[in-house]
Amino acid sequence: MTSQTLDETAKGVFVISATPFTDDGSLDLESTDRLIDFYLERSVHGITVLGMMGEAPKLTHEESILFLGRVLARVKNRVPVVAGVSNPGIGNLAKLAHQAMDLGAAGVMVAPAAGLKTEDQIFAYFSQVFTLLGPKIPVCFQDYPQNTTVFSSVATLNRLVDNFPQLVMLKHEDFPGLRKVTQLRQQAERDGRRRISILVGNGGLYFPQELRRGVDGAMTGFAFPEMLVETFNRATAGDFDGAENVFDTYLPLVRHEYQPGIGLAIRKEILRRRGAIACAATRAPGARLDRDDHAELDILLHRLDARLRA
Amino acid sequence: MTSQTLDETAKGVFVISATPFTDDGSLDLESTDRLIDFYLERSVHGITVLGMMGEAPKLTHEESILFLGRVLARVKNRVPVVAGVSNPGIGNLAKLAHQAMDLGAAGVMVAPAAGLKTEDQIFAYFSQVFTLLGPKIPVCFQDYPQNTTVFSSVATLNRLVDNFPQLVMLKHEDFPGLRKVTQLRQQAERDGRRRISILVGNGGLYFPQELRRGVDGAMTGFAFPEMLVETFNRATAGDFDGAENVFDTYLPLVRHEYQPGIGLAIRKEILRRRGAIACAATRAPGARLDRDDHAELDILLHRLDARLRA
Amino acid sequence: MTSQTLDETAKGVFVISATPFTDDGSLDLESTDRLIDFYLERSVHGITVLGMMGEAPKLTHEESILFLGRVLARVKNRVPVVAGVSNPGIGNLAKLAHQAMDLGAAGVMVAPAAGLKTEDQIFAYFSQVFTLLGPKIPVCFQDYPQNTTVFSSVATLNRLVDNFPQLVMLKHEDFPGLRKVTQLRQQAERDGRRRISILVGNGGLYFPQELRRGVDGAMTGFAFPEMLVETFNRATAGDFDGAENVFDTYLPLVRHEYQPGIGLAIRKEILRRRGAIACAATRAPGARLDRDDHAELDILLHRLDARLRA
Amino acid sequence: MTSQTLDETAKGVFVISATPFTDDGSLDLESTDRLIDFYLERSVHGITVLGMMGEAPKLTHEESILFLGRVLARVKNRVPVVAGVSNPGIGNLAKLAHQAMDLGAAGVMVAPAAGLKTEDQIFAYFSQVFTLLGPKIPVCFQDYPQNTTVFSSVATLNRLVDNFPQLVMLKHEDFPGLRKVTQLRQQAERDGRRRISILVGNGGLYFPQELRRGVDGAMTGFAFPEMLVETFNRATAGDFDGAENVFDTYLPLVRHEYQPGIGLAIRKEILRRRGAIACAATRAPGARLDRDDHAELDILLHRLDARLRA
């Protein structure tokens, strides 16, 4: 099926793909092709689909499969594709995961189910998930407590790493999480623990700081993925200061997309303006930009343009 | 399609149907028939399927349709069937609602989407929902903030009633909500507002008090629905004290099922012991009774039995 | 100072004392004396003051000291008095704890601070607390996640027990928590861990079940503490069924007081009607019974009276 | 008492003052003087004390009065001082408010109490607050739902403005809140509603956008208040683009301080490095910078310095 399989060595920018819709809310498969091309032309190292910013909970199972298949057909194994499979039921989660792998995904991403309260429950939940997925599906743990309201100690993450070899990646978007990154890295080294890949989310708001602390890249959907790639490349070459210069140029936009709710609508509108998708619509209930929002975005983009030309 | 249509005059006990699964987690359609017979034999006035206690978020769209169809085929219009259609996306919510009505449901139940923050947002959300449902689908508003974390003032509920004639029922499970019931009733009378049906949830924990305050019945899934029916019948006949006597006999069990999480597993186990379903399994992640839980339930059921014989 | 010191052998009913106010919101010290006499006459085994149901966050530090001093002067060492000392700042928590012990308290109760997210943070928080309290102050951990939104695994509670000998008691009010009680007891036995006292909160809603699972009593403020005492005494004598009979007689009232918010106002009104305090007022913002609430309570108390006479 | 009284015309930068502590956690009154001088030398237009970032919940009533008195004595009426008085009990809130005004505060700031659920409850809460404060104390409403978990619609804020003339200011820190600012301004104009002062919080993360949308300034504690002042002054002079240039230069630091929890520790450390306070300690439980955090901050400050010199 795929020559790409996710493992602990994954590095770089895994862009969280938007899911393009038409104005009436149906999947826009032509824009899907265009969007994938847009990402690949900007040299992303991987693509993640069906994440929360991909509006996955608003897709039916069939739509998820349809969209994922289209993405994989377009990517043609040039980069690994990770499929978000989080679901209120573990059975349906596992079903989607197996289908995704059969279609050619490189791995799947799972967030702890909303409603888990204690860290013993988090561990038990993932034990069930890994049992149903089997040992062959590589998994990325999405640690995103602002959204899930499920918080994980470093100790719990370590316990999962120690028990489940198929856990190869952490999408780190606890907030604040800078120290958590350092603790994960230091404790892995100190204890001889398997070193997994850590990619940062949260819109990349602290990406330069996280790179200095030892993350392997970013998994986020910022509408200028070329900035994330360039920041990563410079940091990887040891030029952290240059990396941060690139990043800071775009920081006003990173911050603007960071707004909960309307941030996704802004991101899709930028992608639309850049020609990557035909329509910026999000599925209801979702934000929609009004005239003031557009004017505000005009200014921010104009200012970015001026900085880039300077 | 159906001779039953939900309207403001709805009264009585609308039992929240469990969704029976086999031990491997698939839908158990034979138990579905048996369960529906069980409910009808106990003279419930209506049946609600695909609610939260029906594990609806763990069913795919197709499973929901399959299960609902089976229920409707078994009920054969003897009582109205309400279909829960809550969904993170309004488009898929509306699609399921239209399909449910086409299959013969009497109306649909909608809870405000998780993530709504202000009451202006609640109103806007339901405006979108009602627009997509159209004027012909009767709707029950599920006011269940402990689960959705969306809280609605009486003023907001009144505003919805005033603006949307298709809103005919409130499933009231705010907690505490006794005063809210009184305020809804008194303000409707004072302002000449349309009087909608109010059925209580929360496992019926305060059912006698709520009946005295003017609710029209209960919509909950207590595993002894005959108690709810008898309590309702006595109250309707004016014998509130007799109603409360019936209720109090079962109160230790009502309270036992009231526990979050494990309560549903207890309910299904009682239904299994009563012969209504073949297997008590809930879909993962879900609670499962252990030996201690079973022994505890034995005692509670034995004590109920003794009280009923006394 | 005191001949009473809290330790792991604590058993029985530690009633959570209400804090009596006058109608204008000031501390009512005469009612305090009367209330303490009321509790002692009903043979409670201990008294806990300045808990959440004692409206502690609405008292200034000075008021807390004043109230606690009055209580201790009235109790005259006949039963141990536990002082709630939870506070957003650990410094002020420790200050109050030391003052309380100097005044003659038997121990202090501490809930994890709101805002703790992970269980590593819970452990770190209590490490700081125990450092500031020193080794000589016995501590009761209040595990009340519905209120604090801080959830603790059994593993974390065990870790605290293992590390801090001054942790002698757990006020258990996780919900649901029946299985948690069993796990705590079984793991302590299995691992040879120190067995601490476990008293149940949550209004005692599951007290008979919890007694069968091995708790040592209750720490709650139900307005008929004589029922809790009698239930405990029968269970201690091995008559669990008789214990549950006593409890079930009062269950409709236990459930009525269980309502968040208004439950405390109901409890204080019952205490007022029973002559234990002069005024049922809670400090603003707090619930106040209206005419309907009073009428409803009349019925419930009348029905209790009838059951007791039967 | 004071020649300064807060009213609807308030404009500019009201810096949220840190509360300086010594390493052992006591109030550092000498640093308080120094810090106030630091703020005044940077031409702030007002000072707010005892806010959440001032660790107010960790101060006793007496400490609050002591600190506020020291600040007022140092300010000597040169700028208005707003006192945060939020408290779980309205009685103690009112007591502190009256004392603060007697000491010379220009007004008080109140956030809705944690635990309010519906917007009817928010309105009722502030009705009680305004009754106890009386008509003469100017009030700033702190709309900070990320911290209080109490969300207010524009309709509810308007209702408060319409009913309470003493409500003269909104500290706006809903998130996202850009559209809310626009709606408040537009609806006030459309309806002929009293126009109140709106100052933005949230660390000022969207200050330039909010200035363009019509806010009157900022109330936040960024450790470089001179940036906020300069941004405000340029925007007031009509040079919004110049304002945003100033702001963007500091944006990496604004973002760095924005982190929940550790952000306050970073802010205090910057104030310490700038000579404004002697010690960066926050009261326990609070974050403390470790070696990595310091090194990270070194880089960010060095980069800021380089940008300022460029």
Side-chain angles (χ1 to χ4, degrees), chain D residues 192-231:
Chain D
R193 177 172 295 107
R194 188 165 56 95
R195 183 195 190 281
I196 65 169
S197 174
I198 303 180
L199 303 186
V200 305
N202 271 327
L205 196 61
Y206 299 92
F207 193 27
Q209 284 67 42
E210 291 161 318
L211 282 166
R212 292 185 203 260
R213 283 173 181 263
V215 303
D216 300 304
M219 186 186 278
T220 189
F222 184 50
F224 299 86
E226 63 269 34
M227 178 279 276
L228 299 171
V229 170
E230 179 69 11
T231 299

Short mmCIF file of all heavy atoms in Angstrom, two decimals, chain D residues 192-231:
data_model
loop_
_atom_site.label_atom_id
_atom_site.label_comp_id
_atom_site.label_asym_id
_atom_site.label_seq_id
_atom_site.Cartn_x
_atom_site.Cartn_y
_atom_site.Cartn_z
N GLY D 192 -28.15 54.37 20.79
CA GLY D 192 -28.03 55.55 21.65
C GLY D 192 -27.68 55.19 23.09
O GLY D 192 -28.05 55.89 24.03
N ARG D 193 -26.99 54.08 23.24
CA ARG D 193 -26.60 53.63 24.59
C ARG D 193 -25.39 54.43 25.07
O ARG D 193 -24.55 54.85 24.28
CB ARG D 193 -26.26 52.14 24.53
CG ARG D 193 -25.76 51.55 25.85
CD ARG D 193 -25.63 50.05 25.76
NE ARG D 193 -26.95 49.43 25.58
CZ ARG D 193 -27.39 48.90 24.46
NH1 ARG D 193 -26.60 48.86 23.39
NH2 ARG D 193 -28.59 48.40 24.39
N ARG D 194 -25.32 54.60 26.37
CA ARG D 194 -24.15 55.21 26.99
C ARG D 194 -22.88 54.49 26.55
O ARG D 194 -22.80 53.28 26.59
CB ARG D 194 -24.31 55.06 28.51
CG ARG D 194 -23.31 55.79 29.36
CD ARG D 194 -23.81 55.86 30.79
NE ARG D 194 -24.12 54.53 31.34
CZ ARG D 194 -23.26 53.79 32.06
NH1 ARG D 194 -22.07 54.28 32.36
NH2 ARG D 194 -23.60 52.61 32.50
N ARG D 195 -21.88 55.26 26.12
CA ARG D 195 -20.63 54.68 25.65
C ARG D 195 -19.66 54.57 26.82
O ARG D 195 -19.25 55.58 27.39
CB ARG D 195 -20.01 55.59 24.58
CG ARG D 195 -18.72 55.05 23.97
CD ARG D 195 -17.99 56.15 23.21
NE ARG D 195 -16.89 55.64 22.42
CZ ARG D 195 -15.69 55.33 22.93
NH1 ARG D 195 -15.47 55.46 24.22
NH2 ARG D 195 -14.72 54.88 22.15
N ILE D 196 -19.32 53.35 27.20
CA ILE D 196 -18.40 53.20 28.33
C ILE D 196 -16.97 53.01 27.82
O ILE D 196 -16.75 52.79 26.62
CB ILE D 196 -18.80 52.01 29.24
CG1 ILE D 196 -18.66 50.68 28.49
CG2 ILE D 196 -20.22 52.19 29.79
CD1 ILE D 196 -18.79 49.47 29.41
N SER D 197 -16.05 53.14 28.73
CA SER D 197 -14.65 52.92 28.39
C SER D 197 -14.38 51.42 28.24
O SER D 197 -14.86 50.62 29.04
CB SER D 197 -13.77 53.49 29.52
OG SER D 197 -12.42 53.18 29.30
N ILE D 198 -13.67 51.05 27.20
CA ILE D 198 -13.26 49.65 27.02
C ILE D 198 -11.74 49.58 26.98
O ILE D 198 -11.12 50.19 26.11
CB ILE D 198 -13.84 49.02 25.74
CG1 ILE D 198 -15.37 49.11 25.72
CG2 ILE D 198 -13.40 47.56 25.61
CD1 ILE D 198 -16.01 48.51 24.46
N LEU D 199 -11.17 48.88 27.92
CA LEU D 199 -9.72 48.65 27.92
C LEU D 199 -9.50 47.15 27.73
O LEU D 199 -10.26 46.33 28.23
CB LEU D 199 -9.11 49.10 29.25
CG LEU D 199 -9.34 50.56 29.64
CD1 LEU D 199 -8.54 50.90 30.91
CD2 LEU D 199 -8.96 51.52 28.53
N VAL D 200 -8.45 46.80 27.00
CA VAL D 200 -8.24 45.40 26.68
C VAL D 200 -7.23 44.74 27.61
O VAL D 200 -6.28 45.38 28.07
CB VAL D 200 -7.77 45.22 25.21
CG1 VAL D 200 -8.75 45.89 24.28
CG2 VAL D 200 -6.37 45.77 25.02
N GLY D 201 -7.48 43.47 27.88
CA GLY D 201 -6.58 42.69 28.71
C GLY D 201 -5.87 41.64 27.87
O GLY D 201 -5.35 41.96 26.81
N ASN D 202 -5.87 40.40 28.36
CA ASN D 202 -5.24 39.29 27.64
C ASN D 202 -3.80 39.60 27.27
O ASN D 202 -3.32 39.19 26.20
CB ASN D 202 -6.03 38.97 26.36
CG ASN D 202 -7.11 37.93 26.64
OD1 ASN D 202 -6.93 37.07 27.48
ND2 ASN D 202 -8.23 38.03 25.96
N GLY D 203 -3.11 40.32 28.12
CA GLY D 203 -1.71 40.62 27.85
C GLY D 203 -1.51 41.57 26.68
O GLY D 203 -0.38 41.83 26.27
N GLY D 204 -2.60 42.07 26.13
CA GLY D 204 -2.49 42.97 24.98
C GLY D 204 -2.20 42.27 23.67
O GLY D 204 -1.80 42.91 22.70
N LEU D 205 -2.42 40.98 23.62
CA LEU D 205 -1.98 40.18 22.46
C LEU D 205 -2.54 40.69 21.12
O LEU D 205 -1.92 40.51 20.08
CB LEU D 205 -2.37 38.71 22.69
CG LEU D 205 -1.71 37.65 21.81
CD1 LEU D 205 -0.20 37.63 21.99
CD2 LEU D 205 -2.26 36.26 22.15
N TYR D 206 -3.72 41.32 21.17
CA TYR D 206 -4.35 41.84 19.94
C TYR D 206 -4.56 43.36 20.03
O TYR D 206 -5.48 43.89 19.43
CB TYR D 206 -5.68 41.12 19.68
CG TYR D 206 -5.49 39.63 19.50
CD1 TYR D 206 -5.58 38.76 20.58
CD2 TYR D 206 -5.17 39.11 18.25
CE1 TYR D 206 -5.36 37.40 20.42
CE2 TYR D 206 -4.95 37.75 18.09
CZ TYR D 206 -5.05 36.90 19.17
OH TYR D 206 -4.83 35.57 19.00
N PHE D 207 -3.71 44.04 20.76
CA PHE D 207 -3.93 45.46 21.05
C PHE D 207 -4.08 46.31 19.78
O PHE D 207 -5.03 47.10 19.68
CB PHE D 207 -2.79 45.96 21.94
CG PHE D 207 -3.02 47.30 22.56
CD1 PHE D 207 -4.30 47.78 22.83
CD2 PHE D 207 -1.93 48.12 22.89
CE1 PHE D 207 -4.49 49.04 23.41
CE2 PHE D 207 -2.12 49.37 23.48
CZ PHE D 207 -3.40 49.83 23.73
N PRO D 208 -3.21 46.18 18.76
CA PRO D 208 -3.39 47.04 17.58
C PRO D 208 -4.73 46.81 16.89
O PRO D 208 -5.40 47.76 16.47
CB PRO D 208 -2.23 46.62 16.66
CG PRO D 208 -1.22 45.99 17.55
CD PRO D 208 -2.01 45.33 18.65
N GLN D 209 -5.14 45.55 16.80
CA GLN D 209 -6.43 45.24 16.17
C GLN D 209 -7.56 45.86 16.98
O GLN D 209 -8.53 46.38 16.44
CB GLN D 209 -6.62 43.72 16.06
CG GLN D 209 -5.80 43.06 14.95
CD GLN D 209 -4.31 43.10 15.21
OE1 GLN D 209 -3.85 42.88 16.33
NE2 GLN D 209 -3.53 43.42 14.18
N GLU D 210 -7.45 45.77 18.29
CA GLU D 210 -8.51 46.28 19.14
C GLU D 210 -8.58 47.80 19.10
O GLU D 210 -9.66 48.38 19.16
CB GLU D 210 -8.30 45.75 20.57
CG GLU D 210 -8.56 44.25 20.63
CD GLU D 210 -7.98 43.55 21.85
OE1 GLU D 210 -6.83 43.85 22.24
OE2 GLU D 210 -8.65 42.66 22.39
N LEU D 211 -7.43 48.45 18.98
CA LEU D 211 -7.43 49.91 18.86
C LEU D 211 -8.15 50.33 17.58
O LEU D 211 -8.96 51.26 17.59
CB LEU D 211 -5.99 50.44 18.85
CG LEU D 211 -5.31 50.50 20.23
CD1 LEU D 211 -3.81 50.72 20.08
CD2 LEU D 211 -5.92 51.63 21.08
N ARG D 212 -7.89 49.63 16.51
CA ARG D 212 -8.60 49.96 15.26
C ARG D 212 -10.10 49.72 15.39
O ARG D 212 -10.90 50.35 14.68
CB ARG D 212 -8.06 49.10 14.10
CG ARG D 212 -6.62 49.43 13.70
CD ARG D 212 -6.22 48.61 12.46
NE ARG D 212 -4.78 48.43 12.33
CZ ARG D 212 -4.00 49.16 11.51
NH1 ARG D 212 -4.52 50.09 10.76
NH2 ARG D 212 -2.71 48.92 11.45
N ARG D 213 -10.49 48.82 16.26
CA ARG D 213 -11.91 48.52 16.42
C ARG D 213 -12.57 49.40 17.48
O ARG D 213 -13.76 49.22 17.77
CB ARG D 213 -12.09 47.05 16.79
CG ARG D 213 -11.92 46.10 15.59
CD ARG D 213 -11.94 44.64 16.04
NE ARG D 213 -11.76 43.70 14.94
CZ ARG D 213 -12.75 43.06 14.31
NH1 ARG D 213 -14.01 43.28 14.67
NH2 ARG D 213 -12.49 42.21 13.34
N GLY D 214 -11.83 50.32 18.05
CA GLY D 214 -12.49 51.32 18.88
C GLY D 214 -12.33 51.21 20.38
O GLY D 214 -13.08 51.84 21.13
N VAL D 215 -11.35 50.44 20.85
CA VAL D 215 -11.15 50.43 22.30
C VAL D 215 -10.42 51.70 22.72
O VAL D 215 -9.83 52.41 21.91
CB VAL D 215 -10.36 49.19 22.77
CG1 VAL D 215 -11.07 47.92 22.33
CG2 VAL D 215 -8.93 49.24 22.28
N ASP D 216 -10.47 51.96 24.03
CA ASP D 216 -9.91 53.20 24.56
C ASP D 216 -8.53 53.02 25.17
O ASP D 216 -7.98 53.99 25.71
CB ASP D 216 -10.85 53.75 25.65
CG ASP D 216 -12.23 54.04 25.09
OD1 ASP D 216 -12.31 54.82 24.13
OD2 ASP D 216 -13.21 53.46 25.59
N GLY D 217 -8.02 51.82 25.12
CA GLY D 217 -6.70 51.60 25.68
C GLY D 217 -6.55 50.18 26.17
O GLY D 217 -7.30 49.28 25.75
N ALA D 218 -5.59 49.98 27.04
CA ALA D 218 -5.30 48.64 27.54
C ALA D 218 -5.21 48.64 29.05
O ALA D 218 -4.82 49.64 29.66
CB ALA D 218 -3.97 48.14 26.96
N MET D 219 -5.62 47.53 29.64
CA MET D 219 -5.40 47.32 31.07
C MET D 219 -4.74 45.96 31.20
O MET D 219 -5.41 44.92 31.27
CB MET D 219 -6.72 47.35 31.83
CG MET D 219 -6.52 47.28 33.34
SD MET D 219 -8.07 47.14 34.24
CE MET D 219 -8.63 48.82 34.30
N THR D 220 -3.43 45.99 31.18
CA THR D 220 -2.69 44.74 31.22
C THR D 220 -1.32 45.01 31.81
O THR D 220 -0.93 46.16 31.96
CB THR D 220 -2.62 44.11 29.81
OG1 THR D 220 -2.06 42.81 29.91
CG2 THR D 220 -1.78 44.95 28.87
N GLY D 221 -0.61 43.94 32.14
CA GLY D 221 0.59 44.12 32.93
C GLY D 221 1.90 43.86 32.22
O GLY D 221 2.92 43.61 32.88
N PHE D 222 1.89 43.92 30.90
CA PHE D 222 3.11 43.65 30.13
C PHE D 222 4.29 44.40 30.76
O PHE D 222 4.19 45.56 31.14
CB PHE D 222 2.89 44.10 28.68
CG PHE D 222 4.03 43.78 27.76
CD1 PHE D 222 4.58 42.51 27.71
CD2 PHE D 222 4.55 44.78 26.93
CE1 PHE D 222 5.64 42.23 26.84
CE2 PHE D 222 5.61 44.50 26.06
CZ PHE D 222 6.15 43.23 26.02
N ALA D 223 5.41 43.72 30.84
CA ALA D 223 6.56 44.24 31.59
C ALA D 223 7.27 45.41 30.90
O ALA D 223 8.19 45.99 31.46
CB ALA D 223 7.54 43.10 31.89
N PHE D 224 6.84 45.73 29.68
CA PHE D 224 7.35 46.93 29.00
C PHE D 224 6.18 47.88 28.76
O PHE D 224 5.75 48.07 27.62
CB PHE D 224 8.02 46.58 27.68
CG PHE D 224 9.20 45.67 27.81
CD1 PHE D 224 9.04 44.29 27.85
CD2 PHE D 224 10.50 46.19 27.92
CE1 PHE D 224 10.14 43.45 27.98
CE2 PHE D 224 11.60 45.34 28.06
CZ PHE D 224 11.42 43.98 28.09
N PRO D 225 5.66 48.49 29.81
CA PRO D 225 4.46 49.31 29.63
C PRO D 225 4.70 50.48 28.69
O PRO D 225 3.75 50.99 28.08
CB PRO D 225 4.13 49.79 31.05
CG PRO D 225 5.34 49.52 31.87
CD PRO D 225 6.08 48.42 31.22
N GLU D 226 5.96 50.90 28.54
CA GLU D 226 6.23 52.00 27.62
C GLU D 226 5.82 51.65 26.19
O GLU D 226 5.44 52.53 25.42
CB GLU D 226 7.72 52.40 27.67
CG GLU D 226 8.70 51.32 27.22
CD GLU D 226 9.18 50.44 28.37
OE1 GLU D 226 8.39 50.19 29.32
OE2 GLU D 226 10.35 50.00 28.33
N MET D 227 5.88 50.38 25.84
CA MET D 227 5.41 49.98 24.51
C MET D 227 3.91 50.19 24.39
O MET D 227 3.43 50.72 23.39
CB MET D 227 5.77 48.51 24.24
CG MET D 227 5.29 47.99 22.90
SD MET D 227 3.52 47.49 22.82
CE MET D 227 3.63 45.82 23.45
N LEU D 228 3.18 49.77 25.41
CA LEU D 228 1.72 49.95 25.35
C LEU D 228 1.38 51.44 25.25
O LEU D 228 0.49 51.83 24.48
CB LEU D 228 1.07 49.34 26.60
CG LEU D 228 1.28 47.83 26.81
CD1 LEU D 228 0.77 47.41 28.19
CD2 LEU D 228 0.57 47.02 25.72
N VAL D 229 2.10 52.26 25.99
CA VAL D 229 1.83 53.71 25.97
C VAL D 229 2.12 54.28 24.59
O VAL D 229 1.32 55.04 24.04
CB VAL D 229 2.68 54.41 27.06
CG1 VAL D 229 2.60 55.93 26.91
CG2 VAL D 229 2.20 54.00 28.46
N GLU D 230 3.25 53.90 24.04
CA GLU D 230 3.61 54.43 22.72
C GLU D 230 2.63 53.93 21.64
O GLU D 230 2.24 54.69 20.77
CB GLU D 230 5.05 53.98 22.38
CG GLU D 230 5.56 54.44 21.03
CD GLU D 230 5.80 55.94 20.97
OE1 GLU D 230 5.77 56.60 22.03
OE2 GLU D 230 5.99 56.46 19.85
N THR D 231 2.24 52.67 21.74
CA THR D 231 1.27 52.14 20.79
C THR D 231 -0.05 52.92 20.90
O THR D 231 -0.64 53.33 19.89
CB THR D 231 1.01 50.64 21.06
OG1 THR D 231 2.24 49.93 20.91
CG2 THR D 231 -0.03 50.06 20.12
#
